[in-house]
Amino acid sequence: MGTESREKEISHDEFDPIGTLALIAVYFLILVVMWIVMWYAEFLDGGPTVVG
Amino acid sequence: MATFVDRFPFEAKVVRVAFALSFLFLGLGGIGGMIQVLHRTGYLRFVEEITGGTYYTVLTSHGVFLVVFFTIFFLVGVFTWAITKDLDRELGNPGLTKYWITSMTVGALLTSIAILAGFTNELPALGEVSADVLFTFYSPMGAHVLFYLGLALFVTGSWVAGFDWFKTWWGWKKDNPDKRIPLMTFMVLTTMLMWYLGTLGVAVEVVFFLIPWSLGLVSEVNPLLTRTLFWFFGHMVVYFWLMPAYMMWYKIMPKLAGGRLFSDPLARVVFVLFLILSVPVGIHHQYLDPGIPEGFKFVAMTNTMFLLLPSLLTAFTVVASVEHGARQRGGKGYFGWLRALPWGRPAFSGMALAGIMFAAGGFSGMINAGMNINYLVHNSFWVPGHFHLTVGTAVALTFMAATYWLLPQLTGKPLAGVKAAAVQPYLWFIGMTFMSNAMHRGGLLGIPRRTSEPQYEQFDYEPVFGSVAELDFQIVIGGALLVASLALFFYSIILTWFGSKVSADGGEGEVIDDEIPPALSGPENAPRVLDNLKLWVGIAILLIVLAYALPFADIASDGIYEGSEYIPVMIEVLT
Amino acid sequence: MEIHKYEKAWLVGALVLIFFFIGTIAYVSAVVGVDMVDDSGGALDVDEVSEDERFADPRVEQVGEDEYEVYMIAQQFIFRPGTHDTVDVPENSEVTFYVTSIDVIHGFQLVGTNVNTMVIPGQVAEITVEFDEPGEHGIICNEYCGDAHADMEGLLVVHPEDEWEEMQGGDG
């Protein structure tokens, strides 16, 4: 199961996880954008805040 | 072909018992979840017919059953499997093994009885009993002593389980003096060391404070002190739930995807980081507590942010391992390889969807960790939104998915109800998307968590877009899908459990798959120092002392056995 | 230990992210001035709350031109003041809340805002808030405190200045 559909064997030296890098770069961007949105739109714009 | 159950019948039985208990509590906890969904949103309030407050009996059972019993019974099961398989060696001391599984079972039973007694508030022979104190059981709200005693038996049982696994490893080490600790064993051992350090807090809280106090041996306890002891344990425990899931993402998921683990050394680094950073962060649950100076909160915050590192590294290593599988299966392109993965195979799809949910839960966790922004989300509906993505999906769905792959090895029977199993992870994913999205958004509106009826008389919530009714609808739809998913899981598992064995010669295509290929970059590339467990425990203790010595001294200066008397939670029963 | 170059890049990215997060929090603390509730309210004996001059008569008190102090007791299942009578303050005021509990742990939050703190027996939560705009804010207990926890609510009213002056005149 699972492995029988393997088409080829890829060794350590032949493998560059470029797809992973692409995915994780997208995740990084989402995190940064969402973080900024949460802080500015939701938190600092959310009415009364504790200042002391 | 001989699989786990044939080679290690005793260990297989231990794992099956642990899993059976785990799933029993999963089912009970799931029923509690459905009742809560219907009650909070006002769609159906039948617990009110007993009494409004009975909601909290259900909520306590939902919390304790799922995050203590479901998760930890599964953990002791899967760790027993991991150690035995990884070291290719029996546990070797059946008496010890029977002791811990019995202690944990009896403990879980006692605590469950105390919780469920909350429906009537009394038990034969014991008189008044209730424990509607929720998973966080803060003083001065007191539960019946049975609740604490049960937890003590359960936790000490888990300590002995860890000792059992350590003993097995020590035996193996004697026979293999120069070998590296195999990876799954390394993960089990570091996780248990983390557990020993972190449970100290809750053990001191329960043994020295809550038990004597609930028996009337001391009249008062300091609520802030016991609360801080709880959170000393309370954040570490989330990694205790998560580490078995991580273990399966690293060890099993790559193989299911048709690939191999990308990096064994980095996996070790990740577990070491969890060992040293999981405890000195607990105060981030107390950002809004009076009585704790801001400096201590800032220290906990920076530690928490660095604790993101092992999870972010895991994201890369695990996805790269899965990508390796996809490339070997002929996957192409920057994103096109994702299509080459075995999405129809529930063991894989469950873990992969769990991982995606964890990425989203990671974000709301980062917000929770953000000290001052905690004002916005603390104790709001956002928080259960967050942990239903993490423990409620990343952990729970991974455990269910892993069961599809492990159960055949533990029973010698092929997975049955395959079609139901194939759909199950997707239902969970969609259901949790609805429910958790609505919880997060509701939290930002100011809807509180842990409140039976978050509809108030003196004010209305003011959504910028959408409406509270729309959020409630999403929660109910989500909850219904989750219950359906759970039903499919039980259908497949029960059918497998009571099905017939694979014939001895393997039969047609019924060979039980239990092989795990080696990592692409193996342990030989990992610096030896990573296996120096004493060093990491030393550093972990040092960080704990740095983060906690001053706060504890500061809080204890208000008095240790001074503060609040025992306030039992007795919810009125309709007569 | 060999680490793939992409993974090294991600390690750097992850550290950048962590420092960016810590930086945001430090900035909001130091520059924007959002302050954490801490030990400044001090500790007190739970049994002696009613003898403490701040809490013997829970109330709103004017302490400066635009400065007010609110002494509030949270208990199963009301806020005093707040539940049976509203907490009234004028707009453009700086209000410091002192909140303590006489029984179990409670929460205190102005619904949908960042005004939020735990209320722990034996401790006094002290938080200062600026109210620049008139309006009503629901007060809720957001920490489970017993069977009627869901009923524990109150109201804070920030009055427009003219209305506030009228109210003050009415008293005199």
Side-chain angles (χ1 to χ4, degrees):
Chain A
M1 277 170 84
T3 45
E4 68 265 42
S5 55
R6 185 186 299 165
E7 290 183 359
K8 56 189 168 188
E9 191 85 36
I10 301 175
S11 75
H12 179 256
D13 296 336
E14 320 168 278
F15 177 53
D16 277 328
I18 187 70
T20 302
L21 190 67
L23 273 183
I24 215 117
V26 171
Y27 183 52
F28 182 88
L29 287 178
I30 292 172
L31 287 179
V32 171
V33 170
M34 293 271 289
W35 179 266
I36 293 171
V37 167
M38 279 296 294
W39 280 79
Y40 289 95
E42 293 286 348
F43 180 49
L44 297 177
D45 204 24
T49 287
V50 177
V51 294
Chain B
M1 197 174 114
T3 187
F4 192 84
V5 63
D6 308 309
R7 307 197 43 225
F8 303 105
F10 173 74
E11 285 75 8
K13 191 169 180 192
V14 171
V15 182
R16 286 200 306 272
V17 169
F19 279 14
L21 288 161
S22 169
F23 299 148
L24 169 72
F25 284 107
L26 174 64
L28 292 173
I31 294 168
M34 191 68 220
I35 295 172
Q36 281 159 242
V37 158
L38 295 171
H39 191 97
R40 262 190 77 108
T41 54
Y43 275 68
L44 179 64
R45 288 187 166 162
F46 62 88
V47 292
E48 207 166 23
E49 288 168 14
I50 312 169
T51 154
T54 302
Y55 177 87
Y56 301 107
T57 308
V58 177
L59 182 53
T60 306
S61 72
H62 178 71
V64 174
F65 289 0
L66 290 176
V67 305
V68 183
F69 301 148
F70 157 60
T71 49
I72 297 179
F73 272 125
F74 192 90
L75 176 144
V76 295
V78 80
F79 276 9
T80 298
W81 168 83
I83 283 278
T84 311
K85 182 176 172 70
D86 213 24
L87 300 178
D88 198 19
R89 192 183 181 92
E90 291 174 355
L91 290 182
N93 192 342
L96 191 68
T97 308
K98 281 179 195 158
Y99 169 78
W100 61 255
I101 195 92
T102 309
S103 176
M104 292 180 75
T105 308
V106 172
L109 204 68
L110 293 183
T111 298
S112 305
I113 289 172
I115 294 170
L116 297 175
F119 285 111
T120 59
N121 284 345
E122 58 178 39
L123 280 180
L126 286 171
E128 282 198 338
V129 176
S130 86
D132 306 318
V133 290
L134 309 189
F135 158 64
T136 45
F137 57 87
Y138 305 133
S139 71
M141 232 187 268
H144 190 272
V145 69
L146 211 56
F147 175 86
Y148 306 119
L149 282 176
L151 288 179
L153 279 177
F154 184 80
V155 170
T156 50
S158 74
W159 290 349
V160 178
F163 177 66
D164 202 5
W165 303 322
F166 263 95
K167 263 180 58 95
T168 309
W169 170 60
W170 288 327
W172 177 88
K173 203 164 72 162
K174 216 173 261 169
D175 300 342
N176 301 273
D178 291 321
K179 280 200 190 157
R180 300 299 299 261
I181 307 175
L183 185 58
M184 281 204 291
T185 307
F186 183 84
M187 291 168 164
V188 169
L189 300 181
T190 45
T191 303
M192 290 315 292
L193 291 170
M194 174 187 92
W195 179 244
Y196 289 128
L197 292 176
T199 44
L200 272 182
V202 79
V204 169
E205 183 199 11
V206 167
V207 174
F208 292 104
F209 294 98
L210 301 185
I211 289 180
W213 176 69
S214 61
L215 290 172
L217 301 174
V218 297
S219 61
E220 295 186 354
V221 296
N222 176 342
L224 184 58
L225 179 61
T226 51
R227 185 178 156 84
T228 308
L229 284 168
F230 181 86
W231 285 117
F232 182 96
F233 147 87
H235 197 73
M236 178 281 302
V237 74
V238 312
Y239 293 104
F240 196 58
W241 306 327
L242 200 58
M243 289 305 97
Y246 270 39
M247 183 181 89
M248 293 181 281
W249 292 353
Y250 275 108
K251 278 301 281 193
I252 302 176
M253 185 155 61
K255 169 250 155 51
L256 294 172
R260 290 159 63 186
L261 172 59
F262 188 55
S263 171
D264 170 301
L266 269 176
R268 286 175 204 256
V269 169
V270 163
F271 274 72
V272 165
L273 286 171
F274 279 117
L275 166 60
I276 63 180
L277 281 172
S278 284
V279 182
V281 297
I283 288 180
H284 75 222
H285 287 257
Q286 299 175 283
Y287 283 149
L288 301 195
D289 279 15
I292 300 180
E294 182 162 355
F296 300 150
K297 295 176 179 175
F298 199 88
V299 170
M301 182 276 290
T302 49
N303 286 347
T304 308
M305 288 302 179
F306 279 99
L307 197 44
L308 291 174
L309 191 62
S311 285
L312 293 171
L313 291 178
T314 296
F316 191 98
T317 307
V318 169
V319 175
S321 313
V322 169
E323 184 188 350
H324 179 251
R327 300 286 180 202
Q328 293 201 137
R329 294 163 68 100
K332 296 272 182 294
Y334 282 102
F335 299 106
W337 56 274
L338 290 164
R339 280 199 303 271
L341 292 167
W343 292 103
R345 192 179 179 190
F348 172 79
S349 67
M351 289 192 203
L353 294 172
I356 294 169
M357 277 288 189
F358 193 60
F363 175 72
S364 55
M366 292 166 194
I367 294 295
N368 296 343
M371 199 167 79
N372 18 44
I373 203 173
N374 204 246
Y375 276 123
L376 175 68
V377 295
H378 179 76
N379 269 355
S380 77
F381 213 13
W382 167 285
V383 177
H386 162 70
F387 66 67
H388 279 84
L389 293 178
T390 53
V391 65
T393 303
V395 174
L397 187 54
T398 300
F399 285 4
M400 290 188 261
T403 305
Y404 296 133
W405 188 70
L406 289 171
L407 201 55
Q409 302 174 37
L410 299 169
T411 55
K413 298 166 183 178
L415 186 69
V418 178
K419 279 184 187 151
V423 177
Q424 183 269 327
Y426 293 92
L427 277 187
W428 193 276
F429 184 83
I430 296 166
M432 201 56 94
T433 303
F434 277 116
M435 195 171 93
S436 158
N437 169 53
M439 285 173 158
H440 278 99
R441 277 177 52 206
L444 295 178
L445 295 181
I447 299 177
R449 67 186 286 201
R450 293 178 153 178
T451 298
S452 58
E453 287 156 24
Q455 297 84 22
Y456 294 89
E457 286 167 9
Q458 304 200 30
F459 64 90
D460 292 310
Y461 301 110
E462 289 159 10
V464 178
F465 65 95
S467 67
V468 173
E470 168 244 330
L471 294 179
D472 284 342
F473 181 68
Q474 282 198 48
I475 289 169
V476 171
I477 291 288
L481 290 174
L482 289 166
V483 170
S485 174
L486 213 48
L488 291 180
F489 172 73
F490 278 110
Y491 170 76
S492 169
I493 292 309
I494 291 171
L495 220 56
T496 307
W497 211 302
F498 295 101
S500 51
K501 284 213 170 208
V502 181
S503 52
D505 59 2
E508 278 173 52
E510 287 197 333
V511 179
I512 288 170
D513 163 54
D514 59 1
E515 169 237 327
I516 301 177
L520 284 171
S521 172
E524 65 281 0
N525 295 320
R528 283 256 165 196
V529 65
L530 283 170
D531 287 8
N532 186 345
L533 299 179
K534 284 181 190 139
L535 172 68
W536 305 123
V537 170
I539 294 177
I541 293 174
L542 182 70
L543 288 178
I544 291 171
V545 170
L546 287 176
Y548 266 110
L550 290 175
F552 273 127
D554 188 55
I555 293 164
S557 69
D558 294 341
I560 293 175
Y561 288 108
E562 282 168 55
S564 295
E565 289 173 14
Y566 180 84
I567 302 177
V569 238
M570 278 294 168
I571 285 163
E572 217 173 297
V573 180
L574 281 194
T575 44
Chain C
M1 185 159 100
E2 48 167 338
I3 303 177
H4 191 278
K5 57 182 188 283
Y6 294 165
E7 193 141 28
K8 275 187 193 143
W10 174 238
L11 182 63
V12 172
L15 287 170
V16 166
L17 208 56
I18 289 169
F19 283 109
F20 170 57
F21 290 166
I22 296 175
T24 315
I25 294 157
Y27 171 81
V28 167
S29 241
V31 182
V32 181
V34 176
D35 211 38
M36 299 313 293
V37 57
D38 57 17
D39 58 346
S40 58
L44 83 184
D45 194 321
V46 183
D47 306 320
E48 288 162 15
V49 170
S50 59
E51 288 144 42
D52 187 294
E53 57 155 17
R54 292 170 295 181
F55 299 104
D57 173 27
R59 65 198 179 275
V60 181
E61 190 174 294
Q62 184 165 12
V63 293
E65 196 181 343
D66 295 312
E67 288 170 24
Y68 295 80
E69 291 187 342
V70 178
Y71 303 105
M72 182 186 280
I73 289 177
Q75 66 188 81
Q76 291 175 326
F77 297 96
I78 56 171
F79 295 100
R80 286 192 291 149
T83 299
H84 298 309
D85 39 2
T86 54
V87 176
D88 298 286
V89 294
E91 66 177 315
N92 297 318
S93 61
E94 190 180 278
V95 180
T96 302
F97 294 85
Y98 296 86
V99 195
T100 196
S101 162
I102 56 169
D103 42 45
V104 299
I105 296 177
H106 295 280
F108 167 88
Q109 183 173 20
L110 299 188
V111 175
T113 77
N114 305 322
V115 180
N116 190 353
T117 181
M118 300 299 300
V119 183
I120 299 176
Q123 306 291 334
V124 178
E126 182 199 330
I127 48 176
T128 300
V129 181
E130 286 167 355
F131 292 102
D132 299 333
E133 296 189 12
E136 294 190 346
H137 297 285
I139 305 171
I140 51 167
C141 172
N142 60 18
E143 180 69 49
Y144 167 63
C145 60
D147 60 352
H149 164 55
D151 299 335
M152 187 160 166
E153 60 172 313
L155 195 67
L156 177 139
V157 183
V158 183
H159 296 273
E161 263 161 36
D162 49 345
E163 189 181 299
W164 180 256
E165 274 159 30
E166 237 167 75
M167 283 168 67
Q168 301 302 309
D171 283 350

